[in-house]
């Protein structure tokens, strides 16, 4: 006898349990139905169950109440349309809560073992904010050029101080490049050097291999001079006897190598605005930094330089440039003259459309000494000032980076360059170009018969031209 299968028979109506509509199983409140007015009922009558409408069932399928559903709502997140990572103002950025090291609070913390943070408006708090701005991400490879047309204006010392500041707070990837034609002083002002002292022509002779796809990043460090602040220096060629110097093509090849291995390039330029390497540095810069001691001659040259940059079509670089002024030490009259000159410069800058920002820098005696610049020996005011300048540069570079698309690859790979040969030595002056009677005659030499003349040939005796006898009458002068 077979047992019937209860699931084999077809049933039209299945009423064991209510069918569940999965599309309506939601725990989030979809709408806020308006509460209906209660119907009047007798006090003795039993409360009648109200029938829920379709909207109310959809809004609260399990009848747990609107108050319980309110906790399940997703928070509304307002995503900013612009990039907010560069906003380092004290009102929005988190303050550094580490114990204070400067001032009265620093001394109290050190003496009593306290951990009180610096005040929000103190110099130490502002310095820490500047350090955070220096450390912000900068995608791609950025180029900062320190330019000027006058020697002893502070271009090399400014380049060194900025590279040391970025290297201290950002670490590896910062290069200070002396882009002079030859005989630049950046290698002599850097803290450390290497043995042997390699330069740009050593990189150019291996440019193809260093810029290739299979080049090792650490190979470039062989040609650079690592500093204690983790930045590197590419010094200029020190030879003064080559046939040619660094030009446009050489700068393009050097930059093709540097941008593949480093992140931030700070260029120290020369003093010739018509040189091809100076024009290349300006044209390929993301921001210009102009050190300007407050002297009349340097101010005039700076205004002429800015006019020339605008005439070439790079007024956007002038609008974002940083002018670093410094008052040179002197008597009260010279200081007053410098301050009046600063006011005149501000009016001239407004006449050409304005510049990015003018920042006053303190006078640093070690910059004027001509010796090597040791970053840890600089005055604290100088370190703070250049940290603020580096923070301003980082902000402007970040704006520049997000305005354009960062190029992570470049098809240009330079060929190897041949180092220019040394200049040919000027031949000795011909004997007959000197009056014969003014040349002392060598004493006659005696030669032994046994000496090997094939190995040591005797020097040829110079024979002077025939001198006219003294008793001849002088020639007549036709112009007498």
């Amino acid at each position: 006898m077979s047992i019937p299968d209860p699931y084999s028979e077809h049933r039209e109506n299945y009423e064991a349990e209510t069918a569940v509509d999965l599309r309506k199983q939601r725990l989030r409140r979809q709408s806020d139905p308006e509460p209906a007015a209660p119907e009047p009922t007798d006090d003795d009558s039993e409360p009648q169950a109200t029938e829920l409408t379709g909207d109310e069932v959809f809004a609260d399928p399990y009848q747990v109440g609107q108050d319980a559903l309110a906790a399940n709502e997703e928070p509304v997140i307002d995503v900013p349309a612009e990039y907010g990572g560069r906003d380092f103002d004290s009102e929005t950025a988190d303050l550094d809560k580490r114990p204070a090291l400067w001032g009265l609070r620093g001394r109290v913390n050190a003496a009593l073992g306290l951990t009180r943070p610096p005040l929000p408006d103190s110099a130490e708090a502002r310095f820490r904010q500047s350090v955070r701005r220096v450390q912000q991400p900068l995608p791609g490879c950025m180029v900062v050029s320190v330019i000027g047309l006058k020697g002893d204006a502070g271009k090399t010392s400014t380049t060194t101080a900025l590279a040391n500041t970025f290297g201290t707070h950002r670490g590896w990837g910062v290069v200070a490049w002396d882009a002079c034609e030859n005989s630049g002083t950046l290698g002599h002002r850097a803290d450390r050097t290497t043995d042997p002292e390699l330069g740009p022509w050593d990189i150019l002779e291996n440019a193809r291999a260093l810029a290739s796809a299979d080049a090792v990043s650490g190979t470039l460090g062989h040609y650079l001079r690592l500093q204690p602040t983790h930045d590197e220096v590419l010094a200029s060629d020190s030879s003064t006897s080559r046939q040619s110097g660094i030009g446009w093509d050489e700068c393009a090849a050097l930059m093709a190598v540097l941008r593949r291995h480093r992140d931030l390039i700070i260029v120290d330029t020369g003093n010739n605005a018509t040189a091809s390497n100076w024009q290349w540095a300006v044209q390929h810069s993301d921001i210009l930094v102009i050190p300007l001691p407050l002297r009349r001659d340097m101010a005039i040259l700076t205004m002429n330089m800015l006019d020339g940059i605008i005439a070439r079509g790079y007024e956007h670089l002038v609008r974002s440039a940083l002018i670093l002024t410094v008052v040179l030490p002197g008597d009260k009259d010279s200081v007053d003259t410098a301050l009046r000159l600063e006011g005149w410069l501000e009016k001239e800058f407004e006449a050409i459309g304005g510049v990015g920002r003018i920042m006053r820098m303190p006078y640093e005696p070690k910059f004027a000494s001509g010796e090597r610049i040791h970053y840890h020996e600089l005055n604290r005011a100088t370190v703070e000032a250049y940290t603020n300048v580096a923070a301003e540069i980082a902000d402007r570079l970040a704006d520049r980076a997000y305005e354009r698309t960062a190029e992570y690859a470049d098809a240009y790979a330079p060929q190897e360059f041949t180092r220019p040969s040394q200049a040919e030595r000027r031949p000795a002056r011909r004997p007959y170009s000197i009056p014969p009677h003014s040349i002392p005659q060598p004493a006659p030499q005696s030669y032994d018969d046994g000496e090997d003349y094939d190995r040591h040939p005797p020097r040829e005796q110079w024979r002077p031209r025939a001198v006219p006898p003294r008793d001849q009458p002088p020639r007549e002068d036709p112009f007498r």
Side-chain angles (χ1 to χ4, degrees), residues 213-228:
D214 56 348
V216 180
S217 179
T219 308
L220 182 61
H222 174 67
Y223 303 93
L224 306 177
R225 306 177 187 183
L226 182 63
Q227 303 301 306

Side-chain angles (χ1 to χ4, degrees), residues 116-138:
R116 301 178 63 184
L119 295 175
D121 296 334
S122 61
E124 185 175 5
R126 293 193 298 268
F127 177 79
R128 293 183 181 184
Q129 289 293 323
S130 297
V131 171
R132 289 191 59 190
R133 294 163 61 190
V134 171
Q135 294 173 345
Q136 62 181 302
L138 299 176

Side-chain angles (χ1 to χ4, degrees), residues 270-320:
N271 303 326
N272 187 3
T274 60
S276 58
N277 59 326
W278 193 94
Q279 297 181 14
W280 183 95
V282 172
Q283 180 174 342
H284 293 82
S285 298
D286 293 296
I287 187 173
L288 299 179
V289 178
I290 305 173
L292 178 56
L294 292 177
R295 283 174 34 184
R296 180 178 177 275
D297 54 347
M298 294 187 179
I300 294 175
L301 286 178
T302 299
M303 295 305 306
N304 293 338
M305 178 186 65
L306 295 179
D307 290 338
I309 294 175
I310 294 176
R312 291 190 181 99
Y314 302 109
E315 57 272 3
H316 64 283
L317 293 175
V318 177
R319 305 292 181 267
S320 62

Side-chain angles (χ1 to χ4, degrees), residues 405-420:
T405 303
E407 299 178 359
Y408 295 100
D410 191 355
Y412 171 65
Q415 300 289 340
E416 288 83 359
F417 283 68
T418 303
R419 188 190 302 263

Side-chain angles (χ1 to χ4, degrees), residues 428-450:
R429 184 173 296 181
R430 303 174 67 178
Y432 53 79
S433 61
I434 304 177
H437 58 272
S438 63
I439 301 178
Q441 300 297 325
Q445 300 179 1
S446 60
Y447 304 102
D448 299 334
D449 296 337

